[in-house]
Amino acid sequence: MSQIMPDETILLNLPKGGDPPWALLYPNTYGVGMANLGYHYIYAALKSRGVGVERIFVDTECKSLEEGRFLSEFPIVTASVSYEPDYVALLKMLHNSKVLLHWHRRALINGPVVGVGGAVSYINPLLFSSMVDFVCLGDGEVVVDHLIACLRSYMKHGNRRKLWEDLSASKHVYVPPLHNELVISKKANLGRKRGNLENLSASLGHSVWMTPKAAFGRTLLLELQRGCFRRCPYCVVPSNFGKARFRPVDELISLLYKFKTYNNFNVGLVTPEAGDHPDLDRLLDAINDCGRRVSFASLRIDALSEKMLKTMAIGGKKSITIAPETGSDSLRGSLKKHFTNETIIKKLAIAKDFGIRSVKMYFMIGLPGENDDDVRSIAELSKQVWELLKLKPVISISIFVPKPGTPFSNEPFVGISEGRRKLNILRGSLKGYGKVIKMRSVDLRGSLKEYTLSWYGLQEAEVLLDMIDDGDKDDLSCLAFSKEVVREQIFMLGF
Ligand code: SF4
């Protein structure tokens, strides 16, 4: 652990020690967890309220960073699960630490209380139904005080049932030990709701730590926006993360100036769509004024302004990341992304004038209504970018995964053999361009895992835990499920 901590710069003055001892897990690597602002937030929220919170990642050998304590020593364990396959990693972390996976088995031996939050719990909290004592629904800031009060009280009385009842008093908490049977019996809609923080100024707004070991390097993360007002039918943000809320630009600028004197950091803008912030230009001016390099996760090409490009140029950026999604204008239109290949080429030509030399482009295959020509169109667009502009494309290909709650939720997942066939069509269309166009494709099995896990209901979640308990490590996430049943169960929860 000692090789990690000295590289961290902490940006908040947080109390030392604290009570109760609380393990905060991120079921992925330290680098990925340190790039997740939600994980920073929940650590800061707990620590500033005097909780003895310590961080554990998959690569810290199930020991906490702060004190080197084993995961199994903590009476309270919570995890941020941002991506469905991370849930399997979480189960393995607990299993390897000899923490019983099922909530009812832990309750019998007075084992640790386990809870989760994070992006997956917004989309399908039923995935956690057999494992956790509680699921935080929605933004953590809304329920953190309630959780701490319930758990501090539990540390005194030790009555598990009372803890569950106390936790369930907030409609933003799903308590599987109390709620599962009611969901199955369909007696009543449980009225559980995601808590969406309306006023972003009530949240921290920036990273707790900066470290070169984070996935984006030593970066000050600033949160601009939650939710989205657009309606791309494949996207989970509008349906699961609430309406668009923006952090006021004056607040963002003052955060930036507060940390201006720290050495060697870039600014990372955390937002579903950077170009949608109403005062982005003023923020970019301030970033330029501070002499910082800015990074945007990926840019919506129609919202890409000269000011954004200029800011990237001043920071010395030579590459840009955009998300055309597909090479076909009509298929893109069906995704409610109404910009054409012509617009993409025009905008990239301007980017080139600002010194950009390479472009990373995100595409999806397996989209509803897609034909083989649409797949080939990805190659055609990529070739145009090289031939017309001499910008070197790196194309990143993922597979469309239909998620609960989205307008495309009923669409099929393309499957491994069809996905492989489409990838081969694309590779064939790029023949002869291997030296200038780099193609990176997602692992098809990983996408299948993401798809199945995102649709697990109560029954499948239970079987998954049994498989891990039985030591079956081969195929932990390909159970059959019914979208109909899962949708009904989510409805019974109250969503
Ligand atoms: S893809 Fe981007 S613009 Fe579209 S709904 Fe999602 S977050 Fe909004």
Side-chain angles (χ1 to χ4, degrees), residues 264-313:
N264 299 329
F265 70 87
N266 297 327
V267 177
L269 304 183
V270 179
T271 169
E273 284 299 333
D276 284 345
H277 194 286
D279 296 308
L280 183 67
D281 282 1
R282 278 187 57 209
L283 176 62
L284 296 179
D285 283 339
I287 293 171
N288 286 336
D289 185 49
C290 292
R292 298 294 168 187
R293 181 185 279 210
V294 66
S295 59
F296 305 93
S298 98
L299 294 164
R300 195 179 155 116
I301 200 85
D302 50 343
L304 180 62
S305 66
E306 292 212 4
K307 172 77 80 176
M308 290 159 97
L309 289 166
K310 193 173 163 203
T311 309
M312 286 191 262

Side-chain angles (χ1 to χ4, degrees), residues 410 455 481-490:
N410 261 342
W455 284 98
F481 57 82
S482 155
K483 284 187 180 177
E484 206 63 4
V485 171
V486 173
R487 209 173 271 126
E488 195 176 34
Q489 291 178 349
I490 291 176

Side-chain angles (χ1 to χ4, degrees), residues 159-424:
N159 181 332
R160 200 71 153 216
R161 174 153 284 273
K162 177 165 169 39
L163 167 69
W164 295 333
E165 282 164 3
D166 289 349
L167 286 166
S168 74
S170 165
K171 65 178 184 226
H172 305 307
V173 183
Y174 159 41
V175 184
L178 300 184
H179 295 146
N180 285 357
E181 274 184 31
L182 296 168
V183 167
I184 288 173
S185 66
K186 300 187 216 164
K187 282 204 182 110
N189 178 308
L190 294 169
R192 303 290 105 183
K193 291 277 168 266
R194 297 180 195 94
N196 291 325
L197 190 71
E198 290 301 323
N199 175 12
L200 289 199
S201 302
S203 73
L204 186 62
H206 64 84
S207 319
V208 174
W209 309 270
M210 294 192 295
T211 166
K213 293 197 169 88
F216 308 128
R218 192 173 150 84
T219 299
L220 172 70
L221 300 171
L222 292 178
E223 187 190 35
L224 273 60
Q225 174 187 343
R226 291 187 201 178
C228 184
F229 59 80
R230 300 179 191 264
R231 287 271 173 264
C232 306
Y234 62 90
C235 177
V236 293
V237 176
S239 46
N240 293 295
F241 293 78
K243 65 178 179 15
R245 293 96 81 201
F246 299 97
R247 191 177 300 276
V249 70
D250 289 332
E251 193 181 310
L252 290 162
I253 291 171
S254 72
L255 288 175
L256 188 65
Y257 278 96
K258 185 171 163 191
F259 302 114
K260 191 180 170 183
T261 53
Y262 285 81
N263 293 326
N264 299 329
F265 70 87
N266 297 327
V267 177
L269 304 183
V270 179
T271 169
E273 284 299 333
D276 284 345
H277 194 286
D279 296 308
L280 183 67
D281 282 1
R282 278 187 57 209
L283 176 62
L284 296 179
D285 283 339
I287 293 171
N288 286 336
D289 185 49
C290 292
R292 298 294 168 187
R293 181 185 279 210
V294 66
S295 59
F296 305 93
S298 98
L299 294 164
R300 195 179 155 116
I301 200 85
D302 50 343
L304 180 62
S305 66
E306 292 212 4
K307 172 77 80 176
M308 290 159 97
L309 289 166
K310 193 173 163 203
T311 309
M312 286 191 262
I314 291 171
K317 274 201 102 132
K318 298 283 177 230
S319 70
I320 186 172
T321 303
I322 60 169
E325 314 298 1
T326 167
S328 149
D329 289 345
S330 60
L331 189 60
R332 194 179 301 119
S334 75
L335 306 177
K336 299 218 167 138
K337 293 206 159 175
H338 299 292
F339 52 86
T340 61
N341 289 345
E342 198 185 332
T343 307
I344 293 172
I345 297 293
K346 272 189 194 154
K347 293 267 186 168
L348 288 180
I350 300 169
K352 190 180 174 189
D353 291 342
F354 280 99
I356 294 294
R357 290 293 166 259
S358 68
V359 55
K360 185 169 181 188
M361 300 196 283
Y362 287 124
F363 294 101
M364 276 187 282
I365 59 170
L367 286 162
E370 175 188 88
N371 59 37
D372 289 352
D373 282 342
D374 294 325
V375 176
R376 290 185 195 98
S377 71
I378 295 174
E380 296 316 310
L381 176 59
S382 309
K383 287 181 205 171
Q384 277 185 33
V385 169
W386 169 245
E387 279 164 1
L388 299 176
L389 305 171
K390 291 290 174 273
L391 292 176
K392 283 193 171 177
V394 176
I395 62 173
S396 174
I397 313 295
S398 64
I399 311 288
F400 161 67
V401 174
K403 292 281 175 86
T406 62
F408 276 177
S409 65
N410 261 342
E411 298 294 342
F413 175 71
V414 72
I416 289 192
S417 57
E418 179 63 0
R420 194 173 291 131
R421 189 187 72 81
K422 284 174 184 273
L423 284 174
N424 285 337

